[in-house]
Amino acid sequence: MHSRSINVADRVFSRHFRDLNWLALFFVVFLFSTTVASEEPAERAASPKTLRIAYVEFPPITYQTNDGEAAGSFIEITRKVAEEAGYTPDFIYLPVSRVYLYLSKGQIDVWPGLTEIPSLGGEVLESWVSPMPIQLSAWYIEGREPLEHFSQLHDKTVIVIGGYTYAGLINWLNQVGNIRVTEAPNHRSAIDMLKRKRGDYLLDYRQPVHEVLNEPSDHMIRESEVRTRNLAWLFSLASPRAAILRDEFDDAYLRLVESREVPEVRTLAPGFVIPGFPEKYR
């Protein structure tokens, strides 16, 4: 009888010991899962932040590939600078008019675009650094007189690229009664229209036009400089972090210059403006 009582006690103790082991194991698992869960927000906070970056069709500077990817010389620099600054770039392809609207409303953070756009005054902060200049030109056929004064556009037909605002200059062109404006869907079509004499001059930027001058008959195309300005990053002032983002981008660019991954810092100077260019859009 005494032996049986001991056996029963042993079994009871053994069962309670096993229960305690399971309880201890459960407690350890609980502590581990709680610790991991508490660490997850910190890990997410430390991960790179996403930056909404608009871009437009402006080859070879910025453009969308057939696969829907952002590409171009300025896009590649922007990607490097954003990542160096600790951000994950989210490139959003937009028409330029939508870019202006989204910048003003804060729906995008930054646009790699042109400086000194009158309609964006008070809406953006421009980066201090500029990777490259950009030039607006008047293109014409050999034998026609070069554009030396903007008043020569009066009583002429001017070809423009559909969707381009030319930093607001398109408004002036459309309002002047004796300048006829006709649109081309793209840069190649604009050159072809010029060669067919469907316009006297083509207003277009140098880099995109040089990209498409690849046909034998293009040798007759000539160029007059109209306006030079700079490419930069434009940060939406609708974001309270606009000034911080600008400083982070500028600092990141300078670090990349040191490692020779981006062009040298340029000394910015007043660009060329053709005589007679509308004062409001200089």
Side-chain angles (χ1 to χ4, degrees):
M1 180 68 181
H2 180 70
S3 175
R4 183 179 177 186
S5 298
I6 291 175
N7 290 338
V8 171
D10 287 343
R11 286 197 296 271
V12 170
F13 177 82
S14 178
R15 186 173 66 249
H16 281 291
F17 185 78
R18 288 196 302 271
D19 290 343
L20 286 172
N21 282 343
W22 281 109
L23 183 61
L25 180 61
F26 173 80
F27 186 70
V28 170
V29 171
F30 175 77
L31 282 177
F32 178 78
S33 62
T34 303
T35 303
V36 170
S38 66
E39 289 176 353
E40 285 179 353
E43 291 173 357
R44 285 197 296 269
S47 63
K49 302 173 288 293
T50 299
L51 204 62
R52 299 163 298 176
I53 304 176
Y55 72 104
V56 300
E57 192 68 19
F58 193 63
I61 308 299
T62 65
Y63 63 95
Q64 188 178 58
T65 67
N66 293 333
D67 297 330
E69 298 295 323
S73 55
F74 201 7
I75 291 294
E76 293 312 307
I77 294 173
T78 300
R79 183 178 283 112
K80 288 180 181 179
V81 173
E83 292 174 353
E84 174 68 23
Y87 294 94
T88 298
D90 178 20
F91 290 102
I92 303 167
Y93 183 68
L94 294 170
V96 68
S97 58
R98 194 71 57 85
V99 171
Y100 294 176
L101 176 64
Y102 283 10
L103 279 171
S104 66
K105 293 182 176 295
Q107 292 175 272
I108 55 176
D109 299 304
V110 58
W111 173 44
L114 288 172
T115 60
E116 302 173 13
I117 297 176
S119 61
L120 288 179
E123 305 287 355
V124 297
L125 280 180
E126 297 176 358
S127 62
W128 298 114
V129 298
S130 170
M132 61 190 79
I134 197 78
Q135 178 176 309
L136 178 64
S137 297
W139 305 85
Y140 59 97
I141 299 296
E142 183 181 29
R144 189 177 294 276
E145 62 179 15
L147 194 73
E148 298 175 343
H149 195 285
F150 215 58
S151 64
Q152 291 175 243
L153 294 182
H154 291 286
D155 298 317
K156 299 293 191 301
T157 298
V158 178
I159 303 168
V160 298
I161 307 299
Y164 277 30
T165 67
Y166 299 89
L169 183 63
I170 191 66
N171 298 324
W172 182 87
L173 292 169
N174 286 324
Q175 291 166 6
V176 176
N178 61 349
I179 297 179
R180 298 175 294 277
V181 177
T182 183
E183 288 189 357
N186 53 58
H187 307 284
R188 181 66 249 178
S189 296
I191 291 295
D192 292 338
M193 289 173 64
L194 189 63
K195 291 194 296 187
R196 296 189 190 106
K197 299 182 179 180
R198 292 176 58 185
D200 300 290
Y201 294 98
L202 161 64
L203 281 181
D204 202 354
Y205 294 93
R206 172 178 284 178
Q207 288 93 328
V209 171
H210 281 185
E211 190 79 0
V212 300
L213 290 178
N214 48 28
E215 295 185 1
S217 58
D218 291 342
H219 74 276
M220 65 178 68
I221 302 297
R222 297 290 181 267
E223 175 186 16
S224 290
E225 188 176 9
V226 171
R227 175 80 162 93
T228 59
R229 53 170 24 106
N230 298 297
L231 292 175
W233 291 283
L234 282 62
F235 300 91
S236 171
L237 276 173
S239 167
R241 299 187 67 250
I244 295 173
L245 288 174
R246 178 176 66 176
D247 289 346
E248 290 176 334
F249 258 57
D250 284 338
D251 290 345
Y253 189 88
L254 294 178
R255 291 194 297 271
L256 291 171
V257 168
E258 291 180 357
S259 59
R260 299 182 179 180
E261 296 183 57
V262 295
E264 290 287 335
V265 175
R266 300 170 52 238
T267 301
L268 302 185
F272 173 82
V273 181
I274 192 172
F277 195 88
E279 190 68 32
K280 182 179 178 180
Y281 301 102
R282 288 176 179 265

